[in-house]
């Protein structure tokens, strides 16, 4: 651990040493921002690579000084106008620019997109990318980061009660989705449906979701998409500020408190956050459920032992200079959450009865800790940029329960049923080479080392070591001003070294015989794969944009898919891997057409994919041979076909009043069995109306809004063999919010309600669906944000 901190600290110091070795003349970028009628706009201008910028004055003029010669990307934003992105080159003199911004009432068009490695505008990119900012996340706060993204078309979640959820993109999840936090892939046992993302929901300022094949830039696990969590822009020079957020949810009495402070003194930047969340057993609109043919009670409409608590912190420090920027971030996620009492063994009326307290976190439960040390550095090298991301992660997952055995043997001591300890070291290096105005390229290298150990009286996943590395080249060519094409290749190699596990054999008197039975063998597998993609963006005119992206990517089987053989209580089943699984290969095509004007936007994104050797976990229809272990699920590999589409619409009917719609549909087919794949999200449609209030409405009421939203989810009848059909349902949601002037600050109050009709429904992707347990009932969320400024 000491070596890791020393390594990251040295990386943090490297740019400081570098800057003393370079003496360059600096230049100024200045200009003016106006609207279509020529009226000045006080827009924000940000230099992406340096994380710094300025706000135009009331007459629209701006000036950014102290820039070295080189290539930069400017982001120009202003509320109510389409965002702009401009690539500039400083060579031997100051640069003067004039920007004309086009007014729009469409919220989506006011956000910039930075997920593209070339940092250009949204329409230049060939992939479909959704962007949400802090305002969106706060407005849709639901206790977890993943659940806030469900409002986006093509995004759903796999849930295990409250506080544990993971995203699904176009019907795929687990190791087919990469989650990048500050440029480093999140590694936290993401193969399990009961393993959440382990990210503080209040410590997310900006999220960019890349849909479709993204393996080329990000790695093989980006087969179905990537979720990029980007830090907020660095604070302005000479400021120290922050905020307090307090939130309460009525269904499970969730109380959330998060405090943040950030500052910038002479280009030394810092940011710190502490978050606390506590919640009780959650309520469901039912007083009984049926499992294995038995009708069982739900006392007081609360699911026993679904309470939990979370404690998170993060701290960032860094430098921002004319040569670039470098930051070091240390964060830790801590969560203790109960698992529904019926998860271990067969639920019965006795163990479902409450003891009088809804806050107790009893057995079985999980205790998770995720520590991350991340270093991010951008260094300017003439016109080009070198980006270095280094990370260390320590993920501890403890599953605790009352002593029990699966098989013949003595009852173990202690309550630690299963412990998984995962260490991950990650290094990403990218060189952004600016050739000329029409050509840009990136050469990148990525590598990670993972080491896993286990403990406890149960067995699920053996010890293993895994090394993976990748080298890629990506090129973008602006053939014409309105026609951009890109292409790239990637070579990846990986190695899994998985140790065998032997279980002692006992006689009928529970005495050891000295013999053992093998749960999994030694597995040593090596993989080498080539992947690539190409795409185009055709800006037909100011209103029409057409995109096409073609890609062939691969994914190596994970150690859990190769070697697991044990009871996964969070999923209520016995899971078995297959040591002979091969890499899966995909061939994917994505289209996107967007039509937009000042008060109307419609986007349509169809996709189609063929998978050679698709790896998935499927029910066998048999019960495990281990006592009280539930059903048996196996990892399988078949050829598969995916297709579907997303549709989004925003229509401003008249000033301050808009209608929105988001629809999604996923179709998949197992080409070998002739059946659908398991855990496919059903089709859904979200329709909404929102009315916003002007800033001057009232002395105590400004920048307000009120909305009404209805989600209709179809019946999922396309299920795999031995998988249940899930009936469709409809959910009503509403909310309002406004800012209250208090002194020199504006406090923000938001109130929202989910499942306002207290609908009884099953979530097809929920782990509790296997036990015929419904989802949460009516829930009211109250959120108060109090900003403050010290300097």
């Amino acid at each position: 651990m000491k070596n890791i901190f020393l390594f990251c600290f040295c990386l943090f110091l490297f740019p400081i040493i570098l800057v003393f070795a370079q003496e360059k003349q600096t230049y100024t970028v200045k200009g003016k921002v106006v609207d279509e009628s020529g009226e000045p706009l006080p827009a924000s201008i940000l230099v992406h690579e340096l994380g710094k910028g300025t706000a135009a004055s009331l007459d629209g003029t701006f000036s950014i000084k102290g820039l070295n010669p080189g290539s930069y990307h400017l982001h120009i934003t202003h509320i109510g106008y389409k965002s702009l992105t401009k690539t500039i080159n400083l060579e031997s003199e100051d640069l003067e620019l004039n920007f004309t911004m086009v007014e729009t009432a469409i919220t989506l068009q006011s956000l910039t997109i930075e997920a593209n490695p070339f940092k250009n505008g949204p329409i230049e990119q060939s992939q479909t990318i959704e962007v949400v900012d802090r305002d969106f996340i706060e407005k849709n706060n639901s206790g977890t980061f993943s659940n806030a993204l469900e409002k986006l078309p093509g995004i759903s979640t796999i849930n295990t009660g409250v506080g544990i959820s993971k995203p699904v993109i176009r019907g795929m999840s687990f190791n087919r989705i990469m989650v990048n936090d500050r440029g480093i892939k999140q590694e936290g046992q993401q193969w399990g449906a009961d393993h959440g993302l382990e990210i503080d929901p209040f410590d997310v300022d900006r999220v960019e979701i890349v849909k479709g094949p993204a393996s080329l830039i990000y790695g093989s696990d980006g087969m179905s998409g990537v979720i990029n969590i980007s830090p907020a822009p660095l604070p302005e020079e000479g400021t120290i500020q922050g905020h307090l957020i307090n939130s309460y949810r009525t269904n499970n009495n969730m109380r959330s408190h998060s405090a943040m402070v950030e500052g910038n003194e002479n280009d030394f930047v810092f940011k710190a956050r502490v978050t606390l969340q506590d919640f009780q057993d959650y309520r469901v609109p039912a007083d009984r459920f049926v499992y294995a043919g038995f009708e069982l009670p739900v006392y007081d409409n609360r699911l026993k032992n679904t309470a939990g608590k979370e404690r998170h912190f993060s701290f960032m420090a860094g430098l921002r200079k004319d040569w670039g920027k470098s930051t070091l971030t240390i964060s830790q996620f801590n969560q203790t959450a109960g698992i529904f009492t019926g998860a271990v063994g067969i639920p019965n009326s006795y163990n479902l009865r409450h003891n009088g307290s809804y806050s107790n976190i009893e057995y079985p439960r999980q205790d998770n800790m995720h520590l991350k040390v991340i270093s991010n550095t951008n260094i300017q090298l003439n016109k080009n940029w070198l980006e270095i991301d280094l990370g260390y992660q320590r993920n501890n997952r403890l599953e605790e329960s009352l002593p029990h055995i699966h098989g013949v043997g003595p009852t173990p001591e202690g309550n630690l049923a299963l412990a998984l300890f995962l260490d991950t070291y990650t290094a990403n290096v990218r060189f952004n080479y600016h050739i000329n105005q029409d050509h840009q390229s990136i050469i990148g290298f990525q590598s990670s080392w993972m080491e896993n150990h286990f403990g406890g009286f149960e067995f699920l996943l053996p010890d293993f070591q895994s090394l993976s590395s990748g080298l890629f080249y990506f090129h973008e060519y602006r053939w014409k001003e309105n026609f951009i094409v890109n292409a790239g290749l990637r070579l990846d190699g990986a190695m899994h070294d998985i140790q065998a596990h032997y279980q002692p054999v006992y006689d009928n008197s529970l005495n050891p015989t000295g013999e053992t039975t093998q749960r999994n063998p030694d597995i040593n597998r090596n993989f080498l794969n080539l992947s690539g993609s190409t795409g185009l963006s055709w800006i037909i005119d100011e209103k029409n944009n057409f995109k096409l992206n073609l890609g062939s990517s691969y994914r190596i089987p994970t150690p859990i898919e190769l070697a697991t053989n044990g009871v996964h209580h969070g999923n209520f089943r016995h899971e078995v891997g297959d040591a002979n699984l091969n890499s899966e290969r995909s061939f994917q095509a994505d289209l996107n057409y967007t039509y937009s004007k000042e008060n109307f936007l419609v986007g349509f994104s169809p996709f189609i994919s063929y998978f050679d050797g698709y790896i998935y976990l499927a029910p066998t229809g048999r019960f495990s041979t281990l006592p009280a272990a539930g059903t048996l699920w196996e990892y399988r590999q078949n050829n598969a076909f995916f297709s579907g589409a997303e549709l989004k619409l925003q229509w401003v009917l008249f000033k301050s009043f808009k209608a929105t719609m988001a629809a999604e549909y996923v179709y998949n087919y197992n080409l070998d069995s002739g059946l659908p794949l398991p855990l496919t999200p059903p089709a859904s449609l979200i329709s909404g109306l929102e009315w916003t209030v002007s800033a001057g409405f009232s002395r105590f009421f400004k920048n307000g809004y009120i909305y009404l939203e209805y989600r209709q989810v179809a019946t999922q009848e396309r299920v795999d063999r031995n998988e249940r059909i899930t009936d469709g349902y409809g959910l009503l949601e509403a909310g309002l919010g406004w800012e209250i002037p208090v002194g020199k600050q504006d406090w923000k109050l938001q109130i929202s309600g989910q499942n306002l009709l207290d609908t009884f429904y099953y979530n097809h992707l929920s782990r509790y669906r296997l036990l015929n347990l419904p989802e949460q009932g009516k829930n009211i969320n109250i959120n108060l944000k109090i900003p403050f400024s010290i300097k």
Side-chain angles (χ1 to χ4, degrees):
M1 179 68 73
K2 291 181 179 179
N3 292 335
I4 296 302
F5 279 97
L6 180 61
F7 180 59
C8 293
F9 186 66
C10 290
L11 178 69
F12 172 64
L13 289 179
F14 173 70
I16 306 175
I17 300 172
L18 179 67
V19 72
F20 290 105
Q22 52 181 1
E23 293 290 339
K24 295 183 178 180
Q25 182 178 356
T26 61
Y27 298 99
T28 299
V29 174
K30 57 184 178 180
K32 188 173 184 178
V33 184
V34 298
D35 63 15
E36 291 180 290
S37 65
E39 290 296 316
L41 293 174
S44 296
I45 301 92
L46 175 71
V47 181
H48 174 85
E49 288 79 4
L50 301 178
K52 74 174 184 179
T54 186
S57 60
L58 294 177
D59 63 359
T61 60
F62 69 90
S63 177
I64 303 175
K65 300 179 180 179
L67 297 179
N68 286 329
S71 177
Y72 301 91
H73 297 91
L74 302 183
H75 295 311
I76 302 94
T77 57
H78 188 60
I79 297 176
Y81 291 82
K82 285 186 179 181
S83 63
L84 298 175
T85 299
K86 177 71 173 178
T87 301
I88 64 170
N89 289 289
L90 288 176
E91 295 182 354
S92 58
E93 59 183 3
D94 295 342
L95 189 62
E96 185 167 351
L97 303 168
N98 293 310
F99 297 106
T100 300
M101 304 193 72
V102 177
E103 189 173 4
T104 180
I106 305 301
T107 306
L108 297 175
Q109 296 180 336
S110 64
L111 299 174
T112 61
I113 292 180
E114 301 171 3
N116 184 346
F118 294 119
K119 314 299 186 295
N120 48 20
I123 60 176
E124 283 92 343
Q125 302 169 61
S126 62
Q127 289 186 295
T128 303
I129 300 179
E130 301 279 357
V131 185
V132 297
D133 57 8
R134 170 164 284 280
D135 289 340
F136 176 94
I137 296 171
E138 291 178 354
K139 182 178 177 181
N140 297 284
N141 174 35
S142 57
T144 69
F145 162 64
S146 298
N147 287 122
L149 304 180
E150 284 191 292
K151 298 291 184 71
L152 304 175
I155 311 295
S156 47
T157 59
I158 294 176
N159 301 311
T160 302
V162 175
I164 303 173
S165 68
K166 63 196 319 149
V168 179
I169 299 178
R170 293 177 169 176
M172 289 177 275
S173 186
F174 307 109
N175 287 81
R176 290 184 185 86
I177 292 179
M178 285 186 65
V179 177
N180 284 336
D181 184 12
R182 296 172 175 87
I184 295 295
K185 179 190 172 187
Q186 180 92 353
E187 290 286 2
Q189 313 287 6
Q190 58 265 34
W191 40 264
D194 59 326
H195 306 169
L197 283 186
E198 298 168 353
I199 290 176
D200 181 357
F202 295 97
D203 199 28
V204 178
D205 288 278
R206 178 186 178 87
V207 184
E208 299 177 357
I209 299 100
V210 182
K211 298 179 184 178
S215 299
L216 177 66
I217 299 295
Y218 300 101
S220 66
D221 283 359
M223 179 171 280
S224 65
V226 174
I227 297 177
N228 280 309
I229 302 173
S230 302
L234 299 179
E236 296 182 6
E237 165 67 27
T239 62
I240 300 177
Q241 59 190 13
H243 63 240
L244 302 173
I245 299 178
N246 300 282
S247 180
Y248 177 73
R249 294 175 66 80
T250 59
N251 181 279
N252 61 343
N253 297 324
M254 175 181 277
R255 302 165 306 282
S256 305
H257 310 281
S258 187
M260 184 275 291
V261 62
E262 63 179 0
N264 184 335
E265 287 290 335
N266 298 319
D267 284 330
F268 173 78
V269 296
F270 68 91
K271 181 177 182 179
R273 179 181 294 276
V274 175
T275 297
L276 298 84
Q277 287 200 134
D278 295 270
F279 50 92
Q280 297 179 349
D281 299 339
Y282 70 85
R283 298 176 175 90
V284 296
D287 58 8
R288 61 192 63 247
F289 71 104
V290 177
Y291 179 74
F294 296 93
E295 186 177 271
L296 300 169
V298 179
Y299 292 99
D300 297 328
N301 300 106
R302 289 182 182 255
L303 286 187
K304 184 180 180 181
N305 202 37
T306 56
K309 64 179 181 181
E310 300 179 7
R311 303 291 185 264
H312 320 310
F313 81 85
S314 66
F315 177 76
M316 179 274 292
L319 282 178
R320 180 179 65 186
K321 295 293 184 179
D322 56 2
W323 43 260
K325 60 182 179 179
S326 184
T327 61
L328 181 68
T329 304
I330 302 174
S331 65
Q332 185 167 303
F333 177 101
N334 299 275
Q335 179 191 65
T336 302
I339 300 176
F340 177 63
T341 302
V344 178
I346 304 299
N348 56 62
S349 298
Y350 174 77
N351 62 25
L352 293 176
R353 184 179 297 277
H354 268 285
N355 60 7
S357 174
Y358 301 119
S359 300
N360 285 354
I361 307 174
E362 304 173 12
Y363 299 118
R365 66 189 182 197
Q366 55 179 294
D367 194 339
N368 302 319
M369 187 281 291
H370 198 127
L371 170 69
K372 288 182 288 191
V373 182
I374 298 175
S375 174
N376 305 111
T377 303
N378 283 12
I379 303 172
Q380 186 179 33
L381 302 175
N382 296 321
K383 292 184 179 181
N384 312 306
W385 289 88
L386 178 65
E387 300 177 357
I388 304 172
D389 301 321
L390 285 184
Y392 166 73
Q393 300 176 70
R394 171 71 172 185
N395 181 245
N396 294 347
R397 175 178 174 81
L398 307 179
E399 293 186 3
E400 299 174 293
S401 68
L402 297 175
H404 62 276
I405 57 172
H406 290 299
V408 178
T411 301
E413 296 181 358
N415 299 110
L416 182 59
L418 179 66
L420 297 172
F421 306 107
L422 179 65
D423 292 283
T424 305
Y425 306 82
T426 306
N428 300 328
V429 180
R430 296 173 300 278
F431 182 66
N432 293 261
Y433 181 52
H434 181 81
I435 303 172
N436 54 43
Q437 288 292 105
D438 298 326
H439 291 270
Q440 298 184 83
S441 65
I442 293 179
I443 299 175
F445 174 77
Q446 298 169 326
S447 185
S448 68
W449 169 261
M450 302 170 61
E451 187 167 358
N452 184 80
H453 297 282
F454 76 95
F457 54 77
E458 289 190 344
F459 173 75
L460 179 64
L461 178 65
D463 291 346
F464 70 84
Q465 294 80 41
S466 179
L467 173 66
S468 62
S469 298
L471 180 68
F472 71 88
Y473 176 80
F474 191 57
H475 191 95
E476 182 180 270
Y477 171 47
R478 185 178 287 270
W479 182 37
K480 294 182 179 180
E481 186 62 29
N482 67 333
F483 200 93
I484 300 97
V485 297
N486 62 64
L489 288 173
R490 181 185 181 95
L491 178 66
D492 277 281
M495 175 275 294
H496 290 324
D497 182 10
I498 304 172
Q499 282 78 60
H501 177 69
Y502 296 89
Q503 182 173 299
V505 175
Y506 299 86
D507 60 24
N508 292 333
S509 300
L510 301 183
N511 295 314
T513 65
E515 298 179 354
T516 59
T517 181
Q518 189 181 76
R519 294 291 289 270
N520 73 276
D522 275 321
I523 302 173
N524 292 282
R525 298 289 303 275
N526 298 310
F527 303 88
L528 186 66
N529 294 84
L530 183 68
S531 57
S533 72
T534 185
L536 63 88
S537 177
W538 179 22
I539 309 168
I540 302 172
D541 54 36
E542 292 183 355
K543 298 179 181 179
N544 296 276
N545 179 218
F546 173 81
K547 300 179 182 182
L548 170 66
N549 196 79
L550 304 174
S552 175
S553 53
Y554 89 100
R555 187 180 71 85
I556 64 173
T558 64
I560 189 71
E561 294 166 335
L562 295 170
T564 185
N565 185 3
V567 181
H568 197 170
H569 288 301
N571 289 340
F572 321 119
R573 61 199 182 201
H574 180 181
E575 299 177 357
V576 179
D578 183 349
N580 298 313
L581 294 175
N582 296 314
S583 296
E584 63 180 31
R585 166 74 66 177
S586 72
F587 301 90
Q588 299 166 269
D590 292 84
L591 294 172
N592 178 271
Y593 171 72
T594 303
Y595 173 82
S596 64
K597 58 180 184 178
E598 180 181 343
N599 63 341
F600 183 78
L601 179 143
V602 60
F604 180 60
S605 305
F607 62 91
I608 185 171
S609 306
Y610 168 76
F611 288 84
D612 183 8
Y614 183 85
I615 301 172
Y616 65 102
L617 189 62
T620 64
R622 307 189 306 272
F623 280 96
S624 169
T625 56
L626 300 177
T631 57
L632 184 67
W633 288 55
E634 296 176 337
Y635 279 101
R636 299 174 180 172
Q637 190 163 34
N638 296 107
N639 296 336
F641 172 81
F642 275 77
S643 66
E646 296 112 33
L647 177 69
K648 64 180 179 182
L649 179 146
Q650 281 195 15
W651 183 19
V652 180
L653 303 173
F654 50 85
K655 188 176 182 180
S656 301
F657 191 81
K658 70 177 179 181
T660 61
M661 185 183 75
E664 60 185 2
Y665 176 71
V666 175
Y667 174 92
N668 59 38
Y669 188 71
N670 186 324
L671 296 174
D672 295 325
S673 70
L675 296 169
L677 292 165
L679 299 177
T680 300
S684 67
L685 172 68
I686 302 177
S687 303
L689 297 172
E690 181 172 349
W691 176 53
T692 56
V693 181
S694 61
F697 180 78
S698 167
R699 178 183 175 184
F700 301 103
F701 189 106
K702 56 186 291 190
N703 297 328
Y705 66 86
I706 182 170
Y707 73 89
L708 185 69
E709 202 168 75
Y710 187 78
R711 177 191 288 266
Q712 182 62 52
V713 179
T715 297
Q716 183 53 286
E717 296 179 335
R718 302 194 70 258
V719 294
D720 194 9
R721 187 179 292 114
N722 305 311
E723 186 184 19
R724 295 190 186 101
I725 292 174
T726 302
D727 293 333
Y729 54 89
L731 300 176
L732 181 66
E733 179 176 336
L736 72 160
W738 67 94
E739 294 178 359
I740 307 170
V742 179
K744 296 182 179 180
Q745 303 290 341
D746 291 330
W747 293 17
K748 181 184 289 187
L749 178 64
Q750 296 174 307
I751 303 172
S752 63
Q754 293 80 41
N755 193 8
L756 290 174
L757 302 180
D758 211 28
T759 301
F760 178 98
Y761 71 100
Y762 296 115
N763 180 348
H764 187 69
L765 301 185
S766 171
R767 297 299 82 226
Y768 286 164
R769 173 69 179 99
L770 299 175
L771 295 178
N772 291 325
L773 292 170
E775 296 301 300
Q776 287 188 69
K778 180 172 60 178
N779 208 346
I780 306 298
N781 181 48
I782 304 172
N783 191 79
L784 177 64
K785 181 178 182 179
I786 305 173
F788 61 85
S789 179
I790 300 175
K791 183 179 180 181

